[in-house]
Amino acid sequence: EVTSNYSFLRGASHPDELVIAAKALGLAALAIADRNSLAGAVRAHVAAKQAGLRLVVGARRVPRDGPGVLCFPRDRAAYARLCRLLTLGKRRAAKGACDFSFAELLAHGEGQLLVVLPPAPLRVAYPQEAYPDAAFRAALARLCAAFPGACYLAARQLYRGDDARRLAALAALAGECGAPLVATNDVRMHGPRRKALLDVVTCIREGCTVDQAGFRLAANAERHLKSPEDMAHLFRGRPQALARTLEIVARCAFSLDELSYEYPDEVSEEGRTPQEELTRLTWRGAAERYPGGLPGRVRATLEHELALIAELGYAPYFLTVADLVRFARSRDILCQGRGSAANSAVCYCLGITAVDPARLDLLFERFVSAERGEPPDIDVDFEHERREEVIQYIYEKYGRARAGLTATVICYRGRGAIREVGKALGLSEDRVAALSGALWGWSREGLDEATVRELGLDPGDRRLALALALAHELIGFPRHLSQHVGGFVMTRGLLSELVPIENAAMAGRTVIEWDKDDLDALGILKVDVLGLGMLTCVQKAFALLRSHYGREFALATVPGGDAKVFDMLCRADSIGVFQVESRAQMSMLPRLKPRDFYDLVIQVAIVRPGPIQGDMVHPYLRRRNGEETVDYP
């Protein structure tokens, strides 16, 4: 009964923190079950594989008219039912909510092990027969009748002085209904030191301060992971309940590694396979790209790329992107593939990119490699004013049951963290405003004592110091799911059997619960349908050239090497020019002085975040008299 911070303001630890702590404590396995969500499942899965710990995949399902139930799928089919139920509840509710009935839970419970959570008693003294109430008894009986041998009753210590009596009542109910008692711990944090942060996130969720929270806060700091020895001591009177936890682990063999993602088969003419169709379209496009004859080096490159695509089975993915580009051009929507896809001669011949492999020495393995085992990632930019037409085409082609946008996890940053924590701790509005104003918008660091003193505040104030410490802990915590700028996931079968789907804030959009890192970890392909304002400008420029000069241009036929253009770039006169309009790029332009397109490629690659974060280069670093100095613009 472990809840991570992907239950959104209900847990106080990241999935990887829980996994690492469980491994250190010597636990045989860990079952993370977030509330009506699988949003953190992939992160826990990746962390468990790295730590060498068995992860039991599941979710805490909370129907509107029944008790909460921990659901652990035993196989792939049961996992699909779990995802379908969560999708059902999320699609009928507002963004971030989940609404389903107890009857619907029963209808989707086949193949799962169910651990039913009894309601916590509101008072200590109660007659044995009064706990739990009649409604819970009836719900437990229905579950046991529907899923004989697959239903357990959860028991945990509440540290209220009456645990032995309460566990005896639960054991009697378990025997009456045929649901064996199983030991749980209601974990909300990986260690007891996170109790203060758990209280704060509870107050943020409830919209109150710690002084007003009352019984909404946990009564103690015991809702953390415990060692097998500690759990054996706590359930020394019920050793069978503790042994059943290992029984559940043994019975739940499902792993996220079993998700065999099936990319949709693109329809091809005359019954050709996706690879045969891709090969046909590639050679046809090559003939159009090179009307004077295909260079031998390009032919060899195409043959090499097609062979590697066939080996890895990525032909349907390339056909999907090519189809989106075809649709856009049929509507006269300017589009262009970018990123590592420009390294592909196949993409050039399919019209996805305008980078001629005959002019540049490109490495396809930077884009697709059998050794790396990473799926290809083709980013296609469309005119930002008309991108919605392409998005709706995707929904029409695949249907909303088979296509959805990738999620983006919105996490707390410096300003948001200090604002939320300050309110929860009851700091005055002026102090919260002063603290948040002293932080950069995307800061991941806290405030030091000197900065706090400069704001006229006392860093020795206990509540203020606690707010700063907790705000620093809260930075990086997930707050909610949002939609990716354009990453689409399409499936051959139901997408809702792969991952839960919820409504986006924008009408007519649906979002899956996993972000791009989760998809990469599972090898799931996505297609990035991005909007770019510069393409709109270029399209309008083409229209002006057509109307005033009668000249027709496409991205692949625009003349390159104009000296006046590069003179402007060397002066950093690049405001509004995609990829070289940032302050870092404009600072590098006068120093690198690019004189051709490849010079620009090198510069953009250097200033991108990867080389900077790897300490390979600093965009503002200069060397004067043998010493390195940093000049910020």
Side-chain angles (χ1 to χ4, degrees):
E1 192 183 353
V2 180
T3 298
S4 78
N5 55 11
Y6 277 83
S7 284
F8 300 108
L9 300 178
R10 295 181 184 275
S13 291
H14 295 278
D16 58 329
E17 290 178 320
L18 291 164
V19 168
I20 293 171
K23 182 68 175 180
L25 290 170
L27 297 178
L30 183 69
I32 295 181
D34 284 314
R35 182 185 177 91
N36 291 333
S37 176
L38 290 170
V42 178
R43 295 166 193 261
H45 170 72
V46 172
K49 289 181 67 175
Q50 293 173 347
L53 181 73
R54 170 73 189 285
L55 177 72
V56 179
V57 179
R60 179 194 296 246
R61 296 193 289 190
V62 184
R64 61 176 176 268
D65 57 350
V69 180
L70 303 181
C71 300
F72 301 113
R74 300 176 61 184
D75 52 34
R76 177 65 178 87
Y79 173 82
R81 297 185 193 96
L82 173 61
C83 290
R84 285 206 309 269
L85 176 60
L86 294 177
T87 299
L88 177 67
K90 291 173 182 290
R91 288 300 312 277
R92 67 158 60 114
K95 182 181 182 300
C98 190
D99 179 21
F100 60 91
S101 67
F102 184 72
E104 289 168 333
L105 187 152
L106 287 171
H108 292 80
E110 182 183 350
Q112 301 178 58
L113 293 186
L114 307 177
V115 180
V116 188
L117 304 175
L122 299 178
R123 55 195 176 90
V124 173
Y126 50 82
Q128 177 173 325
E129 62 273 13
Y131 180 76
D133 58 31
F136 177 81
R137 290 169 176 263
L140 179 61
R142 288 183 64 186
L143 285 168
C144 292
F147 309 107
C151 190
Y152 296 82
L153 178 60
R156 68 172 186 264
Q157 301 284 352
L158 296 180
Y159 309 95
R160 291 166 46 157
D162 64 336
D163 284 325
R165 184 179 178 185
R166 183 175 47 80
L167 292 180
L170 289 175
L173 177 61
E176 174 189 327
C177 296
L181 202 66
V182 61
T184 63
N185 199 22
D186 195 19
V187 172
R188 292 292 189 275
M189 49 194 172
H190 70 285
R193 296 182 62 182
R194 283 283 171 88
K195 172 60 166 62
L197 185 61
L198 178 62
D199 290 345
V200 165
V201 298
T202 301
C203 291
I204 294 172
R205 185 185 76 244
E206 297 293 335
C208 64
T209 67
V210 291
D211 302 303
Q212 303 165 339
F215 289 109
R216 285 174 284 191
L217 301 182
N220 50 55
E222 292 295 332
R223 300 172 81 172
H224 64 88
L225 287 172
K226 295 180 176 66
S227 67
E229 294 76 17
D230 288 341
M231 291 296 292
H233 176 72
L234 291 173
F235 288 89
R236 56 191 179 277
R238 306 281 174 185
Q240 304 91 343
L242 192 60
R244 290 188 186 105
T245 60
L246 295 178
E247 175 186 320
I248 291 175
V249 171
R251 295 180 68 184
C252 295
F254 173 75
S255 167
L256 291 183
D257 286 331
E258 296 181 34
L259 295 182
S260 55
Y261 174 65
E262 297 181 343
Y263 196 82
D265 285 333
E266 294 294 336
V267 178
S268 59
E269 300 176 6
E270 300 175 5
R272 283 183 284 267
T273 66
Q275 183 64 34
E276 292 171 344
E277 182 70 4
L278 177 65
T279 301
R280 183 184 72 86
L281 293 177
T282 298
W283 292 119
R284 188 181 71 180
E288 296 173 356
R289 289 290 199 186
Y290 303 98
L294 187 63
R297 186 165 66 91
V298 175
R299 179 180 295 275
T301 301
L302 288 173
E303 291 174 349
H304 167 69
E305 291 185 15
L306 288 170
L308 187 55
I309 291 171
E311 177 186 346
L312 299 177
Y314 291 148
Y317 178 76
F318 281 82
L319 290 176
T320 298
V321 180
D323 179 63
L324 296 181
V325 171
R326 179 205 58 76
F327 167 80
R329 290 184 176 149
S330 71
R331 299 290 184 90
D332 196 26
I333 301 173
L334 202 61
C335 61
Q336 170 66 33
R338 63 177 167 95
S340 56
N343 293 56
S344 169
V346 169
C347 286
Y348 177 70
C349 293
L350 292 175
I352 297 171
T353 71
V355 180
D356 187 353
R359 297 170 53 194
L360 299 173
D361 188 13
L362 304 175
L363 179 64
F364 183 65
E365 277 71 10
R366 180 180 177 271
F367 175 44
V368 175
S369 170
E371 288 73 20
R372 288 204 316 269
E374 299 175 355
D377 185 14
I378 302 178
D379 298 338
V380 184
D381 293 312
F382 298 86
E383 296 178 53
H384 78 290
E385 293 181 351
R386 303 187 64 188
R387 182 180 67 134
E388 189 64 25
E389 297 177 41
V390 181
I391 290 176
Q392 293 306 317
Y393 170 72
I394 294 174
Y395 279 128
E396 291 173 6
K397 179 179 178 180
Y398 297 99
R400 294 190 179 274
R402 296 172 54 221
L405 281 163
T406 307
T408 295
V409 182
I410 304 301
C411 298
Y412 281 102
R413 302 296 178 181
R415 287 185 175 179
I418 193 62
R419 280 197 298 266
E420 297 280 21
V421 173
K423 292 177 184 177
L425 292 182
L427 297 184
S428 62
E429 291 184 8
D430 58 336
R431 286 204 288 176
V432 172
L435 292 170
S436 63
L439 286 170
W440 290 94
W442 292 95
S443 172
R444 295 186 62 88
E445 303 298 329
L447 293 175
D448 55 30
E449 289 190 8
T451 304
V452 175
R453 293 186 187 279
E454 290 175 2
L455 297 173
L457 302 175
D458 179 14
D461 179 87
R462 183 177 180 276
R463 187 162 290 211
L464 178 61
L466 180 61
L468 293 173
L470 292 177
H472 191 265
E473 282 191 329
L474 187 61
I475 292 174
F477 263 52
R479 193 182 188 283
H480 64 272
L481 294 179
S482 182
Q483 68 178 45
H484 189 271
V485 292
F488 262 95
V489 176
M490 288 86 81
T491 57
R492 183 183 306 169
L494 291 175
L495 181 60
S496 59
E497 293 187 347
L498 178 74
V499 55
I501 306 171
E502 66 178 33
N503 296 317
M506 182 182 295
R509 300 278 185 90
T510 50
V511 181
I512 66 172
E513 284 193 336
W514 294 339
D515 69 3
K516 61 182 182 62
D517 294 332
D518 298 330
L519 299 178
D520 290 343
L522 296 179
I524 295 176
L525 302 177
K526 69 178 176 65
V527 177
D528 284 325
V529 182
L530 308 176
L532 184 62
M534 181 54 62
L535 282 179
T536 303
C537 296
V538 172
Q539 181 74 299
K540 292 179 179 179
F542 286 165
L544 289 173
L545 288 169
R546 187 183 308 113
S547 62
H548 289 279
Y549 299 99
R551 302 186 66 182
E552 290 284 347
F553 283 110
L555 289 175
T557 59
V558 173
D562 191 325
K564 292 182 179 179
V565 172
F566 286 96
D567 288 342
M568 294 175 65
L569 290 173
C570 290
R571 296 193 302 268
D573 187 4
S574 60
I575 294 178
V577 180
F578 181 58
Q579 293 281 29
V580 290
E581 62 180 334
S582 69
R583 294 174 66 190
Q585 294 285 357
M586 292 173 68
S587 175
M588 292 288 278
L589 283 167
R591 281 183 270 166
L592 293 184
K593 298 186 181 302
R595 298 310 307 177
D596 57 35
F597 180 74
Y598 195 67
D599 288 347
L600 278 178
V601 171
I602 294 173
Q603 173 179 314
V604 171
I606 288 175
V607 185
R608 294 279 289 183
I612 296 173
Q613 293 170 357
D615 293 328
M616 296 167 61
V617 68
H618 194 295
Y620 305 131
L621 188 65
R622 292 177 184 268
R623 183 175 294 276
R624 292 198 184 108
N625 301 324
E627 296 184 358
E628 291 182 346
T629 60
V630 176
D631 292 341
Y632 293 98

